[in-house]
């Protein structure tokens, strides 16, 4: 190990919502903190794929866009000036003789830390693309795997392929501005939240189930119509379409971290109530963790991140208080 590497109390791997809030809380606990994000900007999947999606399941915030949420979390995370490293994917971990950890990224850069919090979501992710000949000619023009700007769809005939919460949320947001919104889903039942499904069935959004997209037709990069096929009967229908949004989920890859020796269950890292993994000094929070009755919401991760930070504090300083004071009492927020 290069002996001139700066030693941090905790390195948070992952700069999404959970990692950012954990960084803020780590500052409250006066831990020397580093955040490492594999993407070129903070925010993870929320900023990358859902910047205009309305998020409603965070207590005290009736609604907020993904981009606004990340902007707020980024500002909050920087309260105590953590070191932030972007564009590095951590691949290797080596425990040193003194019990600290040496983390190495895929570009060879190394990071020295006393503890680690893994807040990597589901790891690196790639959208599950539409596997149809010729689909790539429309991608980024009239075929979309994320919604960057709602205004792009104003007055358009929009077809959404998918049946989860993301597909339903996009349909709900596009309904007032698009000429027409249609959802096709390969199952009769939708997998979104019950209230979202109920609202969609009461809306003007056309729901076609169980159908799948089979063929795209258009000129150059512009879609003109889509052929869909009934899963059961094989019946086909042509739909006039200006824009196609595909929401089929993601391919998930933990990468080399899955070889660190961490206990895994259902593709996630097993933790206890203190967010401790089976490796002393390594903790985890957010979508990557598994424990009974886990709440798979951002709000759940906002509890897990501080819990992991408190466990880090106790790991480093066994006589420390098990939890931080209420943040409003912290010296950084007290004015004379």
């Amino acid at each position: 190990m290069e002996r001139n590497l700066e030693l941090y109390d905790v390195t948070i791997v992952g700069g999404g919502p959970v990692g950012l809030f954990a960084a803020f809380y780590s500052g409250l606990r006066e831990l020397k903190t580093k955040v490492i994000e594999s993407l070129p900007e903070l925010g993870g999947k929320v900023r990358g794929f859902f910047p205009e999606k309305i998020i409603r399941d965070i207590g005290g915030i009736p609604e907020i866009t993904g981009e606004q949420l990340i902007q707020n979390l980024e500002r909050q995370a920087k309260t105590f000036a953590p070191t932030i490293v972007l564009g590095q994917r951590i691949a290797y971990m080596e425990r040193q003789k003194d019990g600290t950890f040496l983390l190495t990224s895929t570009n060879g850069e190394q990071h020295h830390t006393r503890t680690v919090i893994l807040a990597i979501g589901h790891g690196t992710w790639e959208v599950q693309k539409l596997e149809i000949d010729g689909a790539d000619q429309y991608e980024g023009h009239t075929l979309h795997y994320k919604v960057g700007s709602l205004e792009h769809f104003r007055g358009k005939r929009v077809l959404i392929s998918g049946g989860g919460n993301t597909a339903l949320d996009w349909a709900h947001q596009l309904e007032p501005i698009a000429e027409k919104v249609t959802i096709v889903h390969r199952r009769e039942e939708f997998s979104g939240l019950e209230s979202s499904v109920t609202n969609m069935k009461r809306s003007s959004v056309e729901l076609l189930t169980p159908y799948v997209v089979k063929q795209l037709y258009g000129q150059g990069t512009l879609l003109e119509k889509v052929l869909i096929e009934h899963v059961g009967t094989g019946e086909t229908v042509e739909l006039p379409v200006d824009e196609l949004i595909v929401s089929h989920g993601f391919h998930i890859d933990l990468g080399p971290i899955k070889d660190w020796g961490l206990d895994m269950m259902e593709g996630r890292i097993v933790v206890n109530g203190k967010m401790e993994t089976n490796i002393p000094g390594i903790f985890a929070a957010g979508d990557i963790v598994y424990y009974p009755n886990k709440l798979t919401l951002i709000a759940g991760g906002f509890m897990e991140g501080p819990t992991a930070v408190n466990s880090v504090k106790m790991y480093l300083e066994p006589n420390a208080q098990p939890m931080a004071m209420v943040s409003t009492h912290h010296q950084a927020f007290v004015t004379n």
Side-chain angles (χ1 to χ4, degrees):
M1 183 183 73
E2 295 182 18
R3 294 301 174 182
N4 60 348
L5 285 178
E6 190 172 0
L7 178 64
Y8 285 80
D9 292 325
V10 59
T11 295
I12 300 169
V13 181
V18 175
L20 290 173
F21 190 59
F24 165 72
Y25 198 83
S26 183
L28 289 176
R29 303 286 347 232
E30 298 186 338
L31 296 170
K32 186 177 181 180
T33 307
K34 176 182 282 188
V35 177
I36 303 176
E37 168 57 45
S38 63
L39 297 176
E41 60 182 353
L42 294 169
K45 187 169 66 175
V46 173
R47 174 170 273 165
F49 280 85
F50 310 122
E52 292 205 20
K53 180 180 178 181
I54 300 298
I55 297 171
R56 295 185 173 87
D57 48 20
I58 297 174
I61 304 177
E63 63 177 54
I64 189 170
T65 68
E67 178 62 30
Q68 290 170 336
L69 175 64
I70 295 303
Q71 287 178 2
N72 289 345
L73 284 166
E74 188 173 347
R75 175 184 171 191
Q76 184 181 42
K78 293 178 178 178
T79 301
F80 299 99
T83 296
I84 296 175
V85 178
L86 300 175
Q88 287 194 34
R89 185 184 186 191
I90 295 301
Y92 308 105
M93 175 273 295
E94 181 183 357
R95 188 152 215 154
Q96 305 300 292
K97 292 181 180 180
D98 61 1
T100 61
F101 297 93
L102 185 65
L103 304 179
T104 305
S105 70
T106 52
N107 71 357
E109 188 163 336
Q110 295 184 316
H111 307 271
H112 193 196
T113 186
R114 300 172 71 191
T115 63
V116 178
I117 295 177
L118 297 173
I120 56 177
H122 291 295
T124 57
W125 29 265
E126 295 181 359
V127 293
Q128 296 192 37
K129 293 192 173 184
L130 193 64
E131 296 182 357
I132 293 177
D133 289 342
D136 55 348
Q137 77 182 70
Y138 304 103
E139 186 176 333
H141 302 280
T142 50
L143 169 59
H144 313 272
Y145 295 101
K146 63 179 179 178
V147 175
S149 170
L150 295 175
E151 280 299 315
H152 175 83
F153 301 90
R154 183 171 293 278
K156 304 287 187 66
R157 297 166 298 182
V158 181
L159 178 65
I160 300 175
S161 178
N165 283 316
T166 298
L168 297 179
D169 287 345
W170 278 336
H172 175 76
Q173 290 183 251
L174 290 170
E175 183 190 11
I177 65 175
E179 177 183 323
K180 182 179 181 180
V181 177
T182 303
I183 293 180
V184 295
H185 182 42
R186 60 192 176 93
R187 297 191 179 94
E188 290 282 4
E189 300 298 325
F190 292 88
S191 58
L193 291 169
E194 294 88 341
S195 60
S196 296
V197 175
T198 298
N199 289 337
M200 200 56 52
K201 290 179 178 180
R202 292 173 178 171
S203 72
S204 66
V205 175
E206 182 179 19
L207 306 177
L208 299 177
T209 61
Y211 281 92
V212 293
V213 175
K214 294 297 290 186
Q215 189 63 52
L216 309 179
Y217 302 96
Q219 296 292 328
T221 61
L222 301 179
L223 272 174
E224 294 177 349
K225 59 184 178 181
V226 171
L227 182 74
I228 64 173
E229 180 181 87
H230 192 280
V231 172
T233 67
E235 170 197 7
T236 60
V237 179
E238 286 188 354
L239 302 174
V241 170
D242 300 309
E243 306 283 344
L244 171 62
I245 300 172
V246 177
S247 179
H248 293 174
F250 299 88
H251 295 291
I252 297 167
D253 181 17
L254 291 183
I257 287 178
K258 66 179 179 292
D259 300 321
W260 285 13
L262 295 161
D263 284 346
M264 307 290 293
M265 176 73 72
E266 299 178 1
R268 293 180 288 168
I269 299 170
V270 176
V271 296
N272 60 18
K274 297 179 180 180
M275 299 297 115
E276 297 170 325
T277 72
N278 62 301
I279 300 178
I282 297 183
F283 308 82
D287 286 342
I288 189 58
V289 304
Y290 174 90
Y291 58 88
N293 303 313
K294 174 179 168 56
L295 180 65
T296 54
L297 293 174
I298 291 175
F302 286 166
M303 178 277 293
E304 295 165 358
T307 299
V309 170
N310 285 331
S311 295
V312 165
K313 186 72 173 180
M314 295 297 294
Y315 176 85
L316 297 176
E317 303 175 32
N319 294 325
Q321 293 295 318
M323 289 185 288
M325 68 182 81
V326 177
S327 61
T328 50
H329 298 164
H330 194 280
Q331 183 178 355
F333 309 110
V334 176
T335 57
N336 294 324

